[in-house]
Amino acid sequence: MSYDNLPGLRITSSDGVATVTLDHPPLNLMDGVLLPSLRGFLHRVRTDESIRVIVFESADPQFFSAHGDMGYLTDPDALSQATRAAIAAAGDAPVPDGMNVLQALSEEVHDLPQVTIGKLAGFARGAGNEFLMDLDMRFAAIGRSGQSQTEALMGILPGGGGTVNMTRLAGRARALELLLGGELADAELAERYGLVNRALPAAELDGFVSELAGRIARLRPEVVSAIKAAVNAVAPAVARAAYAVEHDGLMATMGPDVTRRAHELLAAGIQTREGELEHERIVNSI
């Protein structure tokens, strides 16, 4: 299976484990480049029987993925252009009715036959954190990682699976706290709230994930499939109807006030490296 022509991604594989490195400077934005590449990768890898585990990581030591492109809020054509590119990248597989491309990506990650693992050693916010929450497992570096959904502070809701998957992972009360409060969850809080499996010392993260991925990849594929099917029967993926409610909520909150606020946030430093290091402070200050 070829994984060429996927801009923003570096993909290597060994002994049944594929490592997908997000490498889309400067911030690994979930934009019109990275979204199509991720969807194209998912479309190809689901039929690759040589790959049994997929580890997602970042080439950037500070950012797993900063968030979605702010252009989605300032340019009325940006999201539709990214959607068209993502459809083409997945062999013209359409986005289901009542969903957007980020939600389609979420559903497609959940449906992969492979086991997916996220390795978080930096910040994952907005659409970047939404993608991270889609994965089967997540492990975070203490003192280096952070996760947040600050969309409510921008006047919208996390419309790429953020509301439904955070509720699935953290429960209703904690999801409301994080979604409405926009707080940055460090590794320890994320572990306590169920956003990640474990918070690990930064120096141990690579070794732990590598050993776990290798151990799973050595299992009989039919055993992995049977266990995933049994676990999914108890804790199924989010129902499509929930995505529809989220998508409708996102569309209902969009408007001129959101566009104006997005321009103010960009002027204040959002979507620059310096500004993204203080993302929550800036969003709270505007």
Side-chain angles (χ1 to χ4, degrees), residues 41 93 103 184 195 198:
F41 170 74
Q103 294 173 322
L184 182 69
L195 298 183
R198 300 193 196 191

Side-chain angles (χ1 to χ4, degrees), residues 54-95:
I54 307 168
V55 176
F56 290 90
E57 62 179 22
S58 174
D60 192 312
Q62 291 181 308
F63 296 96
F64 178 83
S65 173
H67 45 69
D69 187 358
M70 292 290 287
Y72 299 153
L73 303 181
T74 61
D75 179 355
D77 295 324
L79 186 56
S80 60
Q81 290 171 355
T83 299
R84 288 193 294 271
I87 289 171
D92 293 328
V95 172

Side-chain angles (χ1 to χ4, degrees), residues 17 21 42 107 128 166 191 211 215 231 240 278 280 286:
V17 179
T21 304
L42 298 179
E107 191 171 70
M166 186 169 282
E191 180 188 60
E211 198 279 331
R215 193 163 69 243
V231 170
R240 188 167 288 184
E278 299 185 275
E280 285 76 20
I286 300 297

